[in-house]
Amino acid sequence: VQLQASGGGLVQTGDSLRLSCAASGRTFSSGYMGWFRQGPGKEREFVAAIRLNGGNTYYTDSVKGRFTISRDKPKNMVYLQMNSLNSEDTAVYYCAAAPHAILSTLRSERAYDHWGQGTLVTVSS
């Protein structure tokens, strides 16, 4: 599976941005797709995930109500709509695939077998 993340950029506080993740190669219909991020001087952290079989979504507390993860199954795409961005959202965002993850592990990056290259989001105040 190859993952290609895109859509990052420089925005101002309060702006919106949509990240895209294109999956190619051997795709799958079970497990989870997720977004992680790594801010300056920080460890990589879980942001959001979507269950491929059913569409259930999961978020870290700091983005609930502002970010929305979605998928387009026919196009093998996963999106992260980010609204009301603030400086704390500045990070490199990675999409990742976890075909074998279970609910209890989906927030751990170790559950994800495939990673995209990352796209930089910078929120300027």
Side-chain angles (χ1 to χ4, degrees), residues 29-85:
S29 58
S30 62
Y32 299 85
M33 290 289 293
W35 287 96
F36 287 74
R37 67 185 180 185
Q38 186 168 18
K42 299 180 181 180
E43 294 186 352
R44 189 157 57 184
E45 63 173 351
F46 170 81
V47 176
I50 186 166
R51 185 178 177 184
L52 296 180
N53 185 10
N56 305 66
T57 57
Y58 309 87
Y59 301 93
T60 192
D61 286 346
S62 63
V63 308
K64 283 181 181 177
R66 300 189 299 123
F67 290 13
T68 302
I69 187 171
S70 62
R71 77 196 193 284
D72 185 328
K73 290 180 67 175
K75 294 183 178 179
N76 290 321
M77 296 289 294
V78 175
Y79 305 99
L80 186 68
Q81 177 66 42
M82 306 186 294
N83 299 329
S84 301
L85 286 162

Side-chain angles (χ1 to χ4, degrees), residues 2-124:
Q2 290 78 46
L3 302 175
Q4 180 76 35
S6 61
L10 174 63
V11 297
Q12 295 187 331
T13 298
D15 284 351
S16 298
L17 206 59
R18 189 178 81 156
L19 304 183
S20 300
C21 178
S24 60
R26 182 182 177 184
T27 57
F28 45 90
S29 58
S30 62
Y32 299 85
M33 290 289 293
W35 287 96
F36 287 74
R37 67 185 180 185
Q38 186 168 18
K42 299 180 181 180
E43 294 186 352
R44 189 157 57 184
E45 63 173 351
F46 170 81
V47 176
I50 186 166
R51 185 178 177 184
L52 296 180
N53 185 10
N56 305 66
T57 57
Y58 309 87
Y59 301 93
T60 192
D61 286 346
S62 63
V63 308
K64 283 181 181 177
R66 300 189 299 123
F67 290 13
T68 302
I69 187 171
S70 62
R71 77 196 193 284
D72 185 328
K73 290 180 67 175
K75 294 183 178 179
N76 290 321
M77 296 289 294
V78 175
Y79 305 99
L80 186 68
Q81 177 66 42
M82 306 186 294
N83 299 329
S84 301
L85 286 162
N86 59 59
S87 59
E88 293 297 309
D89 298 316
T90 293
V92 177
Y93 284 72
Y94 301 88
C95 64
H100 309 294
I102 57 176
L103 182 59
S104 61
T105 64
L106 65 87
R107 297 172 187 269
S108 170
E109 59 180 288
R110 288 175 292 181
Y112 291 77
D113 301 314
H114 309 281
W115 292 82
Q117 84 289 0
T119 184
L120 176 63
V121 173
T122 303
V123 184
S124 171

